[in-house]
Amino acid sequence: MSDTCLFCRIVRKEIPAKIVLENEHVVAFRDIDPKAPTHVLVVPREHVESLDTATDATMLGNLVLAAAEIARAEGIVGGGYRTVMNCGADAGQSVYHVHLHLLGGRRLAWPPG
Ligand code: 5GP
Ligand code: ZN
């Protein structure tokens, strides 16, 4: 856990967020600046900076499975959805607590910008 990390603070409920799923492994909440009708961030409870420093395959798998569970709950499986993990500056990572974006509810362009 990091004292100053934004997502650690959301996990600890020090900062409010619209939480959509919580279990022993992950916390998932709506992005404050949504880029699609469904835009949820799934984060591990423990602080890991990015995919580049992640070593725990189970932790990473838990993020993906939680995103799939949320997609079912949001009713976006039929239309389809996307998961994205930005890593580093060129990908636009802005919060250095690893997180998986879940985006859906509209047609998503490919490739991303
Ligand atoms: P990144 O750019 O690192 O892949 O994604 C970080 C995401 O966190 C962005 O989509 C941004 O809108 C979101 N975000 C930044 N600050 C907050 C916040 O305080 N609350 C919530 N719910 N989302 C945030
Ligand atoms: Zn953190």
Side-chain angles (χ1 to χ4, degrees):
M1 280 291 169
S2 156
D3 285 348
T4 53
C5 168
L6 176 62
F7 289 172
C8 282
R9 298 192 69 194
I10 288 177
V11 167
R12 288 198 298 266
K13 311 257 172 81
E14 292 171 8
I15 293 176
K18 292 179 183 168
I19 292 175
V20 298
L21 181 146
E22 228 182 329
N23 62 33
E24 60 181 312
H25 306 295
V26 309
V27 178
F29 48 91
R30 296 199 189 278
D31 197 292
I32 203 166
D33 182 19
K35 301 295 189 288
T38 292
H39 187 175
V40 171
L41 303 172
V42 189
V43 313
R45 288 188 177 276
E46 69 265 38
H47 181 81
V48 175
E49 282 199 354
S50 74
L51 182 58
D52 184 54
T53 56
T55 56
D56 184 345
T58 301
M59 178 275 281
L60 292 169
N62 283 330
L63 298 181
V64 181
L65 291 175
E69 183 179 339
I70 295 160
R72 289 190 291 271
E74 295 274 312
I76 59 173
V77 174
Y81 61 89
R82 183 174 295 161
T83 59
V84 176
M85 191 176 279
N86 294 320
C87 182
D90 277 359
Q93 185 175 0
S94 60
V95 178
Y96 279 77
H97 178 128
V98 72
H99 52 279
L100 189 65
H101 294 256
L102 167 66
L103 296 145
R106 67 167 171 83
R107 182 88 183 168
L108 300 165
W110 188 264

